[in-house]
Amino acid sequence: QLYFQPVVDCADTSQLLHHKVLARLLDPQGEATAAGHFLPWIERLGWSARFDLAMLEHTLEYLAEHRQPLALSLSGSTLRDATQLRIILDTLNALPDLAPLLTLEIDEHQLPPPDDLRQLSLSLRDTGYRIGLQHFGGSFSQIGNLTQLGLAYLKIDGSYIRGIDTQSHKRLFIEAIYRATHSIDLPLIAEMLETAGELEALKGLGVFGAMGRLIG
């Protein structure tokens, strides 16, 4: 089943930016099992590309009936598999009218080499669908290259957000990211926001959006 987590404007949390699409499996009792419990098994069994395609198909079917902006992750396994990636691209090309509603997210920890990433970015952008980068932070030294990919946004990993209102080194790090991205209008979105103090700190830093338990 598809679940949806709201992503909102930091300055006005009543303003929805998009929903992040999450996966849940129902157990025999009908209870939803979080992705953290079953995704490691999907990866171990080599089913990540199949899973991504299933999630994409479900998401596009949902968008055909419910026109609202969504974001969906693609795994590194899919991005490295030329055959599976071609299926993904063909699926997207067949539905150009939904392109304005869906952003495809890539995990910073699963980025391909720079040349491959550039080609991947061009291929995805040619479909009309946008690309975002999630769990960002560890590749700060590459930010100059990443900002040339035409990204929709950077989602900052929650480990850099936790306690940002009380930990000055985290504040300085987010300030550095903001300075590097603000001049090219690349929005920053904070992941795993949990407290009102963190939200106030992010507002003060000019961070554009937020998602996490505090939001929904």
Side-chain angles (χ1 to χ4, degrees):
Q1 286 192 350
L2 302 183
Y3 273 47
F4 303 95
Q5 184 176 22
V7 182
V8 301
D9 188 321
C10 268
D12 180 0
T13 56
S14 68
Q15 295 298 312
L16 182 71
L17 302 177
H18 62 262
H19 280 96
K20 175 63 183 285
V21 181
L22 307 176
R24 296 291 183 267
L25 285 180
L26 299 185
D27 67 16
Q29 289 72 45
E31 296 295 322
T33 302
H37 293 292
F38 63 81
L39 278 182
W41 283 100
I42 286 176
E43 293 169 1
R44 189 175 301 177
L45 292 167
W47 292 348
S48 295
R50 291 174 58 192
F51 177 78
D52 280 356
L53 185 58
M55 285 295 294
L56 178 62
E57 290 173 343
H58 281 304
T59 299
L60 292 171
E61 288 172 3
Y62 180 88
L63 280 176
E65 295 187 16
H66 308 276
R67 300 284 176 135
Q68 60 182 50
L70 301 178
L72 176 68
S73 298
L74 293 179
S75 70
S77 300
T78 298
L79 302 177
R80 290 188 297 269
D81 187 322
T83 300
Q84 294 297 329
L85 183 58
R86 185 70 258 166
I87 294 173
I88 296 283
L89 294 173
D90 289 345
T91 301
L92 297 174
N93 278 318
L95 295 166
D97 59 312
L98 298 181
L101 298 173
L102 183 60
T103 302
L104 300 167
E105 293 187 350
I106 303 173
D107 193 324
E108 182 209 65
H109 304 104
Q110 299 180 352
L111 289 178
D115 289 343
D116 294 344
L117 177 60
R118 194 172 299 107
Q119 183 56 52
L120 171 66
S121 173
L122 290 172
S123 296
L124 287 172
R125 285 165 58 191
D126 284 346
T127 67
Y129 289 78
R130 303 194 71 190
I131 307 168
L133 190 62
Q134 64 176 348
H135 308 326
F136 182 77
S139 297
F140 178 70
S141 62
Q142 301 179 35
I143 198 166
N145 295 324
L146 294 174
T147 53
Q148 298 174 25
L149 298 176
L151 299 173
Y153 49 72
L154 290 181
K155 284 185 174 174
I156 305 168
D157 191 85
S159 62
Y160 301 99
I161 303 303
R162 188 70 53 253
I164 192 173
D165 52 327
T166 60
Q167 300 180 41
S168 60
H169 67 285
K170 290 185 177 180
R171 180 187 295 267
L172 290 171
F173 182 67
I174 300 305
E175 283 180 347
I177 297 177
Y178 180 80
R179 286 196 301 270
T181 57
H182 180 64
S183 62
I184 58 169
D185 295 323
L186 178 59
L188 298 180
I189 296 174
E191 298 176 335
M192 297 176 65
L193 185 70
E194 293 191 352
T195 70
E198 292 167 357
L199 176 60
E200 288 305 310
L202 294 172
K203 286 181 182 178
L205 289 168
V207 173
F208 177 56
M211 57 190 292
R213 293 179 182 176
L214 181 70
I215 306 301

